[in-house]
Amino acid sequence: MMSMTCHNLDFGTRVLDLVAVGSSSNSSIERYAVKNHGKTFATKVYGARRMVCCRQNISRTRVFSTNTSEALLNGVGQRTAPVLDLKKEAKSPISLANLFEVVADDLQTLNQNLQSIVGAENPVLMSAAEQIFGAGGKRMRPALVFLVSRATLELVGLKDLTTKHRRLAEIIEMIHTASLIHDDVLDESDLRRGRETVHQLYGTRVAILAGDFMFAQSSWYLANLENLEVIKLISQVIKDFASGEIKQASSLFDCDVKLEDYLLKSYYKTASLIAASTKGAAIFSGADRSVTEQMYEYGKNLGLSFQVVDDILDFTQSAEQLGKPAGSDLAKGNLTAPVIFALEKEPKLREIIESEFCETGSLDEAIELVKQCGGIERAQELAKEKADIAIKSLQCLPQSDFRLGLEDMVMFNLERID
């Protein structure tokens, strides 16, 4: 049985729909396939929802949701049994290389431009930027800009990216990088993607200045795009970063934090930038407002799903896999979705957290309680709910390799917790 509570939070000019999900189900993903004229069709069942995938070849999977919008708002329908006698099929995981293949040339150009637009006249800041640009980042945000740009260009009959599309991707990655530098200072993190952080190598002063400089430089390039709607959109993201940090700092070790608060903080810190990336790309393609709003919804819900998955991995992966100590968020008092769900069932977990792990071994005990009380499973359901909404937002786009890449991005994120 699954329960779902919908919250509509209005802040400024935007409305953020937050869906709180509870589930007593431990359902794993079920896969089925049937051959038909050389194509493979797979049905994925996530808890009580179904996603149908039409696969053309082993490396590409097309996904569309069978849910209705009413089901998302009013509850989750019953699982539909397969009509045909289907056989289970093991599906090859989606790789980033395959996922980004259709925009590989665009990403290569971006990588060549990133360091030059930071500004060679600041060698110390340039060196700090190189440290994080070269730290093995996925370039997910600029890839999303390119995928949405090319998918929406087909709607308006254009064939290639504009200079503004490419500059937007560079600006987005600069803003993301600046936020990471500042995050590492605030979190006192020594490692980022398995490498020493900027403040660890160059000191806090240089790290703060490097982040500030990149925010300022990105703002200058943003102003030169001369599109007021996009300028407002991206400027709000920088404000959201600060709001998210303040919200997080004010609720450390607070066991009464609500899921809605966690989702809003996750929006500020993660989903806001992704939503702005995808909407901004559609705006520069000249797409209709209805399409640009759907691209915003796609980015917002993908971002929320991505953050929930990251918070799950903080409990399920090793320090070597994470590139930072496991359970580091919990150790610092940052209570994420798995913890919030586990607190509903285990009073002892509250006692340990409110003691701020003063006793030896108490952090490890808290991590085990989160796992034992179903916090991980319920967080997985939340990530899948957000992923389902993201997939539905792509229905306004024509079928193409670029739309397929956007769908695969959602599935890639979920596969991290398979």
Side-chain angles (χ1 to χ4, degrees):
M1 180 68 64
M2 177 176 292
S3 63
M4 183 165 67
T5 306
C6 298
H7 302 270
N8 193 279
L9 301 185
D10 191 348
F11 48 100
T13 60
R14 291 171 298 172
V15 175
L16 176 59
D17 297 317
L18 303 177
V19 182
V21 182
S23 175
S24 58
S25 168
N26 241 354
S27 301
S28 59
I29 298 171
E30 300 174 14
R31 296 187 178 89
Y32 302 94
V34 60
K35 301 289 183 181
N36 183 13
H37 302 295
K39 295 181 181 179
T40 301
F41 295 83
T43 299
K44 296 179 179 242
V45 181
Y46 291 129
R49 291 165 322 290
R50 187 175 56 161
M51 288 184 179
V52 180
C53 309
C54 173
R55 173 180 259 182
Q56 300 289 350
N57 56 58
I58 195 65
S59 64
R60 310 292 288 173
T61 305
R62 190 174 306 282
V63 183
F64 52 95
S65 171
T66 61
N67 265 11
T68 63
S69 57
E70 290 81 5
L72 284 170
L73 291 174
N74 301 321
V76 179
Q78 297 298 316
R79 179 180 300 182
T80 304
V83 177
L84 302 175
D85 183 16
L86 303 173
K87 296 181 180 179
K88 289 187 179 180
E89 178 203 39
K91 173 182 171 292
S92 298
I94 299 170
S95 71
L96 281 178
N98 286 337
L99 200 158
F100 293 160
E101 183 181 359
V102 291
V103 291
D105 291 342
D106 298 325
L107 287 172
Q108 184 175 0
T109 302
L110 174 126
N111 286 333
Q112 293 167 356
N113 291 343
L114 271 177
Q115 293 178 356
S116 64
I117 67 173
V118 170
E121 72 274 11
N122 295 277
V124 175
L125 299 182
M126 185 69 172
S127 181
E130 285 176 345
Q131 170 67 12
I132 198 160
F133 280 146
K138 296 181 285 292
R139 300 287 189 263
M140 183 185 86
R141 290 154 191 82
L144 286 170
V145 170
F146 293 136
L147 287 169
V148 171
S149 297
R150 293 193 176 277
T152 50
L153 281 172
E154 295 191 6
L155 281 174
V156 297
L158 299 178
K159 292 185 178 180
D160 207 359
L161 301 183
T162 66
T163 302
K164 290 185 176 182
H165 283 121
R166 296 189 184 281
R167 184 62 82 199
L168 176 65
E170 294 160 1
I171 290 168
I172 293 296
E173 187 65 7
M174 288 175 67
I175 291 173
H176 175 58
T177 301
S179 73
L180 294 183
I181 294 173
H182 282 179
D183 277 355
D184 288 338
V185 173
L186 291 170
D187 297 340
E188 299 179 347
S189 300
D190 297 332
L191 294 175
R192 163 73 62 178
R193 299 166 186 154
R195 297 177 61 168
E196 286 185 294
T197 55
V198 172
H199 76 89
Q200 185 74 4
L201 286 173
Y202 301 98
T204 299
R205 180 183 176 85
V206 170
I208 295 280
L209 289 173
D212 288 348
F213 177 79
M214 292 182 71
F215 275 130
Q217 190 81 324
S218 63
S219 297
W220 187 85
Y221 281 110
L222 177 63
N224 279 277
L225 292 177
E226 297 183 342
N227 184 299
L228 186 57
E229 185 177 8
V230 174
I231 290 172
K232 288 180 177 179
L233 188 67
I234 305 300
S235 298
Q236 179 67 42
V237 169
I238 298 175
K239 179 185 172 214
D240 287 345
F241 282 151
S243 297
E245 289 297 341
I246 293 168
K247 194 166 185 63
Q248 179 171 299
S250 64
S251 60
L252 295 178
F253 297 102
D254 180 6
C255 292
D256 294 317
V257 65
K258 304 298 183 185
L259 184 63
E260 292 88 346
D261 296 325
Y262 161 79
L263 287 172
L264 185 57
K265 180 201 70 176
S266 298
Y267 172 81
Y268 285 150
K269 294 192 64 176
T270 302
S272 176
L273 179 60
I274 297 176
S277 304
T278 50
K279 181 177 181 178
I283 290 171
F284 281 136
S285 293
D288 292 341
R289 179 165 293 278
S290 61
V291 174
T292 64
E293 289 303 319
Q294 285 302 302
M295 292 304 96
Y296 180 85
E297 288 298 311
Y298 168 81
K300 179 186 76 177
N301 286 287
L302 172 61
L304 290 173
S305 180
F306 209 92
Q307 184 59 58
V308 175
V309 169
D310 271 355
D311 293 337
I312 292 169
L313 296 178
D314 197 44
F315 288 92
T316 60
Q317 287 192 336
S318 65
E320 291 74 20
Q321 291 172 306
L322 291 168
K324 61 179 183 179
S328 59
D329 279 333
L330 180 57
K332 295 167 184 173
N334 179 24
L335 308 190
T336 57
V339 181
I340 293 170
F341 286 128
L343 279 167
E344 294 175 7
K345 292 188 175 181
E346 182 51 73
K348 187 176 181 182
L349 181 59
R350 172 184 284 267
E351 295 175 14
I352 296 172
I353 293 172
E354 288 181 345
S355 74
E356 300 188 11
F357 312 110
C358 61
E359 296 183 9
T360 303
S362 58
L363 176 60
D364 291 335
E365 184 181 2
I367 291 172
E368 283 305 309
L369 286 173
V370 170
K371 294 177 180 179
Q372 292 169 12
C373 294
I376 303 298
E377 290 78 10
R378 291 185 65 189
Q380 288 172 335
E381 288 297 324
L382 177 60
K384 291 165 187 174
E385 289 288 344
K386 295 303 177 185
D388 196 19
I389 300 171
I391 290 289
K392 287 177 65 65
S393 300
L394 297 174
Q395 292 177 357
C396 63
L397 298 178
Q399 297 290 352
S400 69
D401 285 342
F402 308 113
R403 172 176 165 174
L404 184 55
L406 294 168
E407 293 168 348
D408 281 352
M409 182 74 82
V410 178
M411 302 310 297
F412 167 79
N413 177 50
L414 293 182
E415 284 183 356
R416 299 193 296 151
I417 51 173
D418 267 5

